[in-house]
Amino acid sequence: MRVLYHVPLSPFSRKVRMALKEKGLPFDLRLENVWERRVEFLKINPAGKVPVLVEADGTVIADSVAITEYLQEVQPQPDLLGGTPAQRAETRRLVAWFDGKMHEEATVNLVGEKVMRRFLGRGEPDSATVRAGLANIRMHLDYVAFLVERRTWLAGDKFSLADIAAAAQFSCIDYIGDVPWGHQEAAREWYARVKSRPSFRPILDDRVPGLKPAGHYDDLDF
Amino acid sequence: MRVLYHVPLSPFSRKVRMALKEKGLPFDLRLENVWERRVEFLKINPAGKVPVLVEADGTVIADSVAITEYLQEVQPQPDLLGGTPAQRAETRRLVAWFDGKMHEEATVNLVGEKVMRRFLGRGEPDSATVRAGLANIRMHLDYVAFLVERRTWLAGDKFSLADIAAAAQFSCIDYIGDVPWGHQEAAREWYARVKSRPSFRPILDDRVPGLKPAGHYDDLDF
């Protein structure tokens, strides 16, 4: 059986979990506490990061972008990238936006500070960093709203990896209740549509031991 | 004519320049001082980053991963990704390694501190950050050596985007003379092979106004 090594609040693991589910590919989920730097894990991914996908034949695919491109190649339907080079470029541009810019500006400043820092025994969250994260996430909600006021889904007419990448980041921040959904109704409505997809359910059902999610976290009506 | 917006010491711009040259696709290079946040540029790429490729028909492609995937799709030869899904995944894993891990651990700490910080008037480089960068780059040289002791090029038998992504990072750091090539002979030999490719020549000839490169920077024999 295909195995996916993951961490529950890793947005990149969540992105791959959703992509696998959307494509109907079965997999076993295996928790990898990357901070333990387990030697057997470093052998399969020297970067020491999740997600890592191991196929039934032993093929190892590391890095969430490499994995999602691979899944699109080996299981082209349903298509998550788009029908033309320009459409695929637009999807990939937005994946890079949420994986890179939003992760750095919002997810790291909020989930990184409030959860990982404390969990790893590195002390209290830095309040200036958290304030920056809370300011930045509003900008990302604005951008989601800007896009879905012009398009059905983030990258165009169809649900795509752009929606998956964005939802992966927002869902981690939403777990700790730091997404001000009231700030942008159009973004909230987009996230409600993502939440209602069967591929998102296992992610919403997942719990981090010792950390309860925000009250509305898995409500479809929030 | 195709236009590429770039910054000379942006490794991601260098990556796309090399990919365009390898594929024999002509383009005009246009300097974009991204820190000026020019409104017309933000309209074509709201992320405000280079590289951005604008095709002759006006199609805009932003983000270096989106651009290189796009180039591979519209001009499949010479192939820069690999012949099988697993080989392409290996190439993409390494691109993510150099674009992500090496950039963050080495390039930002060295070129970011020593060049961009001073250039933007944000004061002197932080010595602890520079020290971290100098320690980290040795680990990345070790990893390059590890790979080329087992393979002809970084991702396998053929020159690929993995070599381009790595050379893009190393070349920016080499401009300021901070790559300790003597640390790993196999890595130096790999870089000499990349340097001798015609696609790399325009990058080596490029100069940052007011900043002379290290003496050996454009020597093929260094």
Side-chain angles (χ1 to χ4, degrees):
Chain A
M1 175 65 116
R2 189 179 286 118
V3 170
L4 182 72
Y5 290 88
H6 88 125
V7 163
L9 282 185
S10 150
F12 305 105
S13 301
R14 289 178 170 220
K15 186 175 69 161
V16 171
R17 287 168 72 182
M18 270 192 93
L20 282 161
K21 284 278 179 195
E22 288 284 338
K23 289 185 172 290
L25 296 169
F27 62 101
D28 280 341
L29 205 50
R30 200 165 297 171
L31 179 67
E32 180 63 41
N33 293 327
V34 287
W35 45 89
E36 294 173 358
R37 300 191 63 75
R38 191 167 62 87
V39 174
E40 290 307 308
F41 182 68
L42 291 173
K43 278 187 194 158
I44 63 168
N45 184 17
K49 295 178 184 175
V50 286
V52 175
L53 186 73
V54 181
E55 289 282 44
D57 68 1
T59 304
V60 175
I61 320 278
D63 178 74
S64 75
V65 168
I67 297 171
T68 49
E69 293 282 350
Y70 170 85
L71 294 177
Q72 181 63 28
E73 290 178 2
V74 297
Q75 180 81 7
Q77 297 302 328
D79 169 42
L80 295 174
L81 274 172
T84 64
Q87 178 59 61
R88 288 192 285 277
E90 176 64 356
T91 304
R92 290 178 177 124
R93 173 184 79 83
L94 289 168
V95 169
W97 177 290
F98 295 106
D99 279 6
K101 194 171 166 65
M102 179 174 172
H103 180 253
E104 189 181 307
E105 295 174 350
T107 316
V108 169
N109 289 348
L110 296 169
V111 180
E113 280 301 308
K114 291 189 175 181
V115 182
M116 294 313 293
R117 194 178 166 114
R118 197 171 290 188
F119 177 75
L120 296 175
R122 294 188 186 148
E124 292 298 306
D126 176 66
S127 61
T129 304
V130 170
R131 268 201 308 278
L134 293 172
N136 292 337
I137 195 172
R138 301 174 93 85
M139 191 271 283
H140 290 285
L141 284 169
D142 290 343
Y143 194 47
V144 166
F146 170 88
L147 292 169
V148 293
E149 279 160 0
R150 286 156 180 81
R151 302 163 167 184
T152 311
W153 294 99
L154 295 183
D157 289 346
K158 290 198 194 155
F159 179 82
S160 78
L161 274 177
D163 300 284
I164 291 177
Q169 300 293 329
F170 279 107
S171 70
C172 290
I173 302 173
D174 201 38
Y175 193 95
I176 59 171
D178 275 351
V179 183
W181 291 113
H183 174 66
Q184 277 289 0
E185 178 54 27
R188 197 203 59 76
E189 185 275 336
W190 161 81
Y191 191 59
R193 282 188 285 139
V194 177
K195 264 183 152 175
S196 70
R197 296 180 82 86
S199 67
F200 209 47
R201 195 69 240 171
I203 289 168
L204 293 177
D205 288 343
D206 211 359
R207 290 292 174 270
V208 182
L211 183 69
K212 276 177 70 172
H216 66 272
Y217 174 70
D218 55 0
D219 277 359
L220 294 187
D221 193 17
F222 56 102
Chain B
M1 176 65 114
R2 188 180 287 114
V3 170
L4 182 72
Y5 290 88
H6 88 125
V7 163
L9 282 185
S10 150
F12 305 106
S13 301
R14 289 177 171 222
K15 185 174 71 160
V16 172
R17 287 167 73 181
M18 267 192 95
L20 282 161
K21 283 279 179 192
E22 288 284 338
K23 289 186 171 290
L25 297 168
F27 61 101
D28 281 341
L29 204 51
R30 201 165 297 171
L31 179 67
E32 181 62 42
N33 293 327
V34 287
W35 46 88
E36 293 172 0
R37 299 190 63 76
R38 192 166 61 87
V39 173
E40 290 307 308
F41 182 68
L42 291 174
K43 278 188 196 159
I44 65 167
N45 184 17
K49 295 177 184 174
V50 285
V52 174
L53 187 72
V54 182
E55 289 282 44
D57 68 2
T59 304
V60 175
I61 320 278
D63 177 73
S64 75
V65 168
I67 296 171
T68 49
E69 293 283 350
Y70 170 86
L71 295 177
Q72 181 63 29
E73 290 178 0
V74 297
Q75 178 83 4
Q77 297 305 326
D79 169 42
L80 295 173
L81 275 172
T84 65
Q87 178 58 62
R88 287 191 286 276
E90 177 63 357
T91 304
R92 289 176 177 127
R93 174 184 78 83
L94 290 167
V95 169
W97 177 290
F98 295 105
D99 279 6
K101 193 170 168 64
M102 179 174 172
H103 180 252
E104 189 180 308
E105 295 174 351
T107 317
V108 170
N109 288 348
L110 296 168
V111 180
E113 280 300 309
K114 291 188 174 182
V115 182
M116 294 314 292
R117 194 180 166 113
R118 196 170 292 188
F119 176 74
L120 296 175
R122 294 187 186 149
E124 291 298 305
D126 176 65
S127 61
T129 304
V130 170
R131 268 200 308 279
L134 292 173
N136 292 337
I137 195 172
R138 300 174 92 87
M139 191 271 284
H140 290 285
L141 284 170
D142 291 342
Y143 194 47
V144 165
F146 170 89
L147 292 169
V148 293
E149 279 160 2
R150 285 156 182 82
R151 303 164 167 182
T152 311
W153 294 99
L154 296 183
D157 289 346
K158 291 200 195 151
F159 179 83
S160 77
L161 272 177
D163 300 284
I164 291 177
Q169 299 293 328
F170 280 107
S171 70
C172 289
I173 302 173
D174 201 38
Y175 193 96
I176 58 171
D178 275 350
V179 184
W181 291 112
H183 175 65
Q184 278 289 0
E185 178 55 25
R188 196 204 60 74
E189 186 275 334
W190 161 81
Y191 191 58
R193 282 188 285 139
V194 177
K195 264 183 153 176
S196 70
R197 296 180 80 87
S199 66
F200 209 46
R201 194 70 242 170
I203 289 169
L204 293 176
D205 288 343
D206 212 0
R207 290 293 174 270
V208 181
L211 183 70
K212 274 176 70 171
H216 66 274
Y217 174 71
D218 56 359
D219 277 359
L220 294 186
D221 193 16
F222 56 104

